[in-house]
Every structure is written in C-alpha cells, then in structure tokens.
Amino acid sequence: MIIKPDQLVYVGVDLHKQHHTAVILDCWNRKLGEIKFDNKPKAFPLLEKEVKKHTPRGMSVVYGLEDVGGYGRALAVYLTEKGCFVKEVNAKLANNRRKSHVTIQKSDSWDAECVAKVVRDELHNLPDAKPIDLYWAISQLVTQRNWQSKNLTDGVKRLHQQLGYHYPSYKKFFSEIDGKTALAFWHKYPSPNHLSGVKVEELALYLRKLSNNGLSTKKAEQILSLIADDGDTTRDFQDKRDFIVKGLVRNIRFYKREMRRGEGEIRKLTDQLGFQLESMTGIDLVTAAELVAEIGDIYRFATPDKLARFAGIAPVIVGSGNKVRNYKSKQGNRVLHDIIKSLAIRQLLVPRSTKVPRNPYFHWYYEQKLAAGKTKQQAIVCIMRKLVNVIFYLMKTKKTYVIPEVSIPEAG
C-alpha cells in the first residue's frame, strides 16, 4: 500500500535517559505540536494521545527515533508492538540537518524537529525500527565482551610493564606471557627473590604439571639461567610490587574466564538465528555476533544497497555543472562500517606458511581494482561494498559461504 506524503504526519523524537521530547510536523514542515514525556512505559501513551490530536481522519503517522538500541529502545518496542510505523534515523543525518540552517540551534525541541524533517525527506531510505529482543540481547553480550577484551588488553600491557622491572628477560621465558602456564608462574613467582633456593628439578616438576608435560627440565634451566644473567632486581617495598603482579594475574584470569563464558552465551543466541556467517573467511563467532547486533533484522533492508547506505559504505554523488564525482560517505552506522572494513582487510591476508591468499577471489578483485587505477583505500572500499552483498545474501538465505572461483583469462 502506497501512502502519499500529504497523508502522513511526521513525529521526531529526541531521546534522553530520563525523558524524551517529540515534535509533530505535517508534510509541509509545519509544526503541529510538541510534547515532553518521561522515558518509561507508563508515560508512552501520553505521546500517542498528543499525536492523535494532530492526526485528522484518514491520515497516518510515522515516528522517527535516533537511538532504537539505547535510550529509545523501550519507546521503539512500545510503538512497534502497537503496530505503529517507526523509522530508525541515523544521528549523522539529524546533525547534518541541524547544521544546514543559517542559525544553528541546539535544544531538545529543535533536535526532535530535525529528526522529524529527516523522516519526511528520507522516508523511503530509512530502515524500519525493529527492536527484537534476540538481537538486542546479542548486542548487549557483544558490548560486554568487547569491554572485557579491552580490560584484558590493558591488564596484559600493565603486566608487561611490571615484569620488565622484575625479570628483564621475561619475554624469553614463555611464548605468551598471558598463557596458562605463564600466568601460574608469575603468580607463584612474581619476582626472582621467590625463586631463591628453588632447584632445577623442583621448577621443572612445577612446569611439567602446569603444561601437561609440555615444559620440563630444559625450560626450567633456561629460566633460571636468564634470571642469573639479569642480576639482582630486588628493591625496597618489593612485596608491594609483587602484590601488583599477583593482582594483575588474577584480573587477567578473570577476564579470560568471563570472555569464554560470554562467548558461550553468544553462541546460544546466534545458533537460534541459523546464520552461517562463520563459514566465510575472516568471520569468527564474535565478528558474526557484531554484524548481527549492528544490522539487526535483515528484513528491514529491502536491498543490499539500503544496507550499504545504512553502513555508510555507499558513495555520495556530488555534481556541479558537467562534473560529477563520487565521495566517500561519512554518514551511516560507523560501528558497522568499521566491522566491514576490518573484514575486508582480512580477506586480503596472505599467510606466510602457505603463501596462498585467505580469500583468492577478493585478493584477485583487489588486484583488478589497483590495475584499473584505484588507490589502495578505494580498492578496499570496493571490497567492502561487495562484502555487503555477501553478508546480505548470507543473512537472507542462511546459506553457507562458498568462495567464488577466479577465472583468469589466458594470455594471447
């Protein structure tokens, strides 16, 4: 069913943690009304009541919300469950609309009005807001896991710093300083003075037990020899610095354990969707979950072009006179944009062991673009756009990814 623009009333909502502000416009951008209401389900009917006052018989209402995954999620859920027509408005679009005026204003009312104007002008280009609980739960788990990953990285950096004071040659002890065996060693022997009197046989027995017989006498001899070569690193208040090392080890163990548990919960939810995104080169469980969390229900995008526009990958066409150029878009969902960019770079990796590209098709496609005169960055953007098509197809069909065959024309 096609609804004419003059049969619609546009409601833009500026969202905040404690309250929201809504502005109602008609198709001629005339302000019909405004309401401020609390961000809680009990207050949401007040918005519907106010909107109905300005909606004549035969007219339809379309709502525009900027943040359907954060402060505006509860309102988005309420409106969609009521069967309302709700659109998700990218914050960049509303901000650009605000800046397009001669006198730049900043208020909740004006922000809401800019959202409503974006809905009016970009209605058919905006994705539907479908705040499904499953996607939201995945998004929350991914956010939690990313936060834990950041803290883990910070903890490992600090451990590097502390170990440098105590064991100058610590990097030669183990292949990974945050591996299971290494962490146990640092916790029991946070500084060399704890190894005073420890014989090679005793240390070898300890390492053998930790590493399931992977490390033993030779490793113990190496560690004790390196410590002897480093010299005495003991300083005043050594026990306090040992306390720091042990605390860092406990934190690293905690975040690793919580990340494993979180990934198990993510797996349970993503399995319900039936996507085969992990069948593609460069996509693991976390990347697949990040894509799902940012894209949401794939059926709110009618075509790959709309998904590309949502991710800020579709080019912006700028023309003047007889000159027309395509520029890189700085709009769209920047989180999704960065995920797809990272994925594009992974397609081009060539392992040193095999010397074979991880994805021969995309590696060939990249070389073709360079040969055609594209810069490296432009070629990567081309790959990103193709990846959008692939992701769209995999999510729509739930099929397994198959690397396309590369047909190289014969010379002559």
Side-chain angles (χ1 to χ4, degrees), residues 208-242:
R208 190 179 299 117
K209 186 182 298 184
L210 287 173
S211 62
N212 295 323
N213 296 320
L215 302 174
S216 58
T217 306
K218 186 177 180 180
K219 175 56 69 175
E221 290 175 346
Q222 180 193 18
I223 290 175
L224 293 176
S225 175
L226 289 169
I227 292 173
D229 290 342
D230 288 340
D232 185 15
T233 59
T234 305
R235 297 292 182 269
D236 292 340
F237 308 106
Q238 185 65 51
D239 59 325
K240 306 305 179 187
R241 294 196 290 134
D242 292 348

Side-chain angles (χ1 to χ4, degrees), residues 289-307:
E290 288 175 335
L291 287 169
V292 170
E294 295 302 325
I295 294 173
D297 185 3
I298 191 64
Y299 288 98
R300 67 197 184 114
F301 301 100
T303 65
D305 289 338
K306 291 196 173 184
L307 177 57

Side-chain angles (χ1 to χ4, degrees), residues 25-136:
L25 302 179
D26 63 13
C27 66
W28 293 280
N29 276 338
R30 292 183 302 196
K31 186 174 180 180
L32 303 178
E34 178 181 331
I35 181 175
K36 184 175 181 178
F37 56 100
D38 292 335
N39 181 18
K40 54 186 180 182
K42 191 174 182 179
F44 295 161
L46 297 176
L47 172 62
E48 279 192 296
K49 186 176 180 181
E50 179 66 22
V51 171
K52 284 182 179 178
K53 292 180 183 178
H54 306 284
T55 309
R57 185 182 297 276
M59 299 285 285
S60 299
V61 181
V62 56
Y63 293 85
L65 282 69
E66 273 188 327
D67 185 12
V68 298
Y71 296 146
R73 186 177 189 281
L75 178 60
V77 170
Y78 174 84
L79 292 173
T80 52
E81 288 181 347
K82 287 281 188 176
C84 298
F85 189 18
V86 187
K87 287 288 187 177
E88 181 178 348
V89 178
N90 186 280
K92 284 271 188 179
L93 294 174
N95 190 46
N96 288 342
R97 179 54 58 92
R98 188 187 305 116
K99 291 180 178 179
S100 67
H101 288 258
V102 177
T103 303
I104 299 177
Q105 306 178 46
K106 187 70 178 78
S107 67
D108 293 348
S109 175
W110 179 240
D111 289 347
E113 186 170 338
C114 287
V115 173
K117 289 181 177 181
V118 170
V119 175
R120 174 190 174 278
D121 295 340
E122 302 288 339
L123 179 62
H124 299 295
N125 294 325
L126 298 175
D128 294 333
K130 293 185 178 180
I132 300 172
D133 285 341
L134 176 57
Y135 295 102
W136 183 63

